[in-house]
Amino acid sequence: VSIQVSRIIGRKIFHYVRVTSTQDKAKKLAENGFAEGAVIIAEIQTQGKGRLGRRWVSPRGGIWLSVLLRPEITPMEVPKITMIGSLAVAKAIAELTRLEVKLKWPNDVLIRTISGFEFKKVCGVLTEMVSGVSRVNYVITGLGINVNNRIPAPLRAKAISLKEVTGRNLPRQKLLRKVLEKFDKYYLNFGKQGMAPILKEYRGMSAVLRREVKIECPGRIIKGKALDIDEYGALIVKTQGGKERVIAGDVTIVKR
């Protein structure tokens, strides 16, 4: 893949036909002291990774990639990188396809289905880190975008591909270029200006803010109204007991 579009992200691109997971390949580069901005992209992943140890189905036709980053942040700030990656994908898809795109906290990109009545997941973002007590050593952000690939039957209730909605094969290289350009822009801006401008854009595309939500967290379920996303990427939820700050969890939007 010959794409040089950015100042940091995509300076070096490793392209594979088949890997276990691009996250694994990126970790090896990181452990070998590779500079940030390296991108690992694969046509097929045999053991693609999703959040919470789930498997990410990654056949030919999608965009499966991982980015190696070395941001000067604390471990608590790592969710910011997930938000930057999600926003980059959402903006790239919206620009290329003119589809309505939303962000489902913490890490999903949704598009409106053909019926127009619902949104389904078109991309997931997985951020993994290795850190000391106070500083992050490196971060690997994985992006899995359903472009022209078929969605397996068990996943169709929640997931969708761009091809399914647009009715045509999309130019993957063009979309990949846009994603890397946007990711690079937001990552550079984050380094210079912090999270505020990015957060404003993210909130503007949020699928969960001002909605009633149910959040499955480790060991408990939180129900309430999603009020805001704070500068650290936590979701602020108004519950019966007051306000809760949720760092991670699986969100379901409660339909009234």
Side-chain angles (χ1 to χ4, degrees):
V1 183
S2 56
I3 300 177
Q4 175 52 51
V5 292
S6 52
R7 309 233 310 261
I8 295 176
I9 292 167
R11 281 189 294 202
K12 188 88 176 161
I13 295 179
F14 297 87
H15 182 239
Y16 298 92
V17 174
R18 182 187 294 264
V19 296
T20 51
S21 104
T22 57
Q23 292 291 94
D24 293 342
K25 287 275 186 193
K27 278 179 200 161
K28 285 202 174 103
L29 289 181
E31 295 295 345
N32 289 328
F34 221 85
E36 75 169 351
V39 173
I40 292 82
I41 184 162
E43 296 296 319
I44 298 164
Q45 293 184 109
T46 56
Q47 294 167 37
K49 294 178 181 179
R51 262 177 80 243
L52 308 173
R54 295 176 186 135
R55 186 164 168 258
W56 186 271
V57 180
S58 327
R60 199 178 282 277
I63 292 175
W64 324 119
L65 69 87
S66 295
V67 182
L68 163 59
L69 298 170
R70 297 187 185 274
E72 292 193 9
I73 57 173
T74 64
M76 189 182 151
E77 294 177 273
V78 167
K80 295 176 180 180
I81 305 297
T82 303
M83 291 172 76
I84 289 168
S86 306
L87 185 60
V89 173
K91 290 283 186 181
I93 290 172
E95 257 182 40
L96 186 68
T97 65
R98 303 284 178 232
L99 294 172
E100 191 176 350
V101 187
K102 296 262 187 200
L103 291 162
K104 182 174 157 234
W105 183 92
N107 72 321
D108 290 348
V109 181
L110 313 178
I111 53 172
R112 193 183 282 280
T113 60
I114 302 166
S115 71
F117 295 121
E118 61 178 337
F119 284 82
K120 287 186 182 179
K121 177 172 174 171
V122 74
C123 168
V125 180
L126 173 68
T127 301
E128 298 179 294
M129 70 165 167
V130 168
S131 72
V133 177
S134 61
R135 294 318 272 171
V136 164
N137 180 4
Y138 65 82
V139 170
I140 308 288
T141 298
L143 308 175
I145 310 170
N146 296 324
V147 187
N148 303 323
N149 51 301
R150 279 180 61 85
I151 305 295
L155 302 176
R156 281 186 203 150
K158 289 185 176 177
I160 200 164
S161 70
L162 290 171
K163 181 181 179 178
E164 204 176 316
V165 180
T166 60
R168 62 191 169 90
N169 273 324
L170 268 93
R172 282 188 310 152
Q173 187 142 341
K174 198 171 175 184
L175 178 58
L176 173 62
R177 179 186 284 272
K178 274 191 182 294
V179 168
L180 297 184
E181 276 174 1
K182 304 269 181 217
F183 204 148
D184 190 62
K185 183 187 90 169
Y186 288 126
Y187 186 65
L188 283 165
N189 288 353
F190 167 61
K192 288 178 196 158
Q193 303 167 355
M195 204 61 191
I198 293 162
L199 199 49
K200 190 178 175 187
E201 284 193 57
Y202 189 97
R203 287 180 182 128
M205 295 185 86
S206 173
V208 301
L209 291 183
R210 298 171 295 283
R211 303 289 296 272
E212 293 294 325
V213 293
K214 182 179 89 171
I215 307 163
E216 290 178 52
C217 301
R220 68 195 190 112
I221 288 174
I222 297 168
K223 291 180 182 177
K225 187 177 185 179
L227 297 180
D228 198 9
I229 295 159
D230 75 13
E231 63 189 314
Y232 286 96
L235 188 67
I236 311 301
V237 183
K238 185 183 179 188
T239 65
Q240 286 183 326
K243 283 185 188 174
E244 287 234 25
R245 187 173 178 274
V246 187
I247 296 167
D250 272 0
V251 175
T252 306
I253 295 162
V254 180
K255 293 187 171 63
R256 293 198 168 238

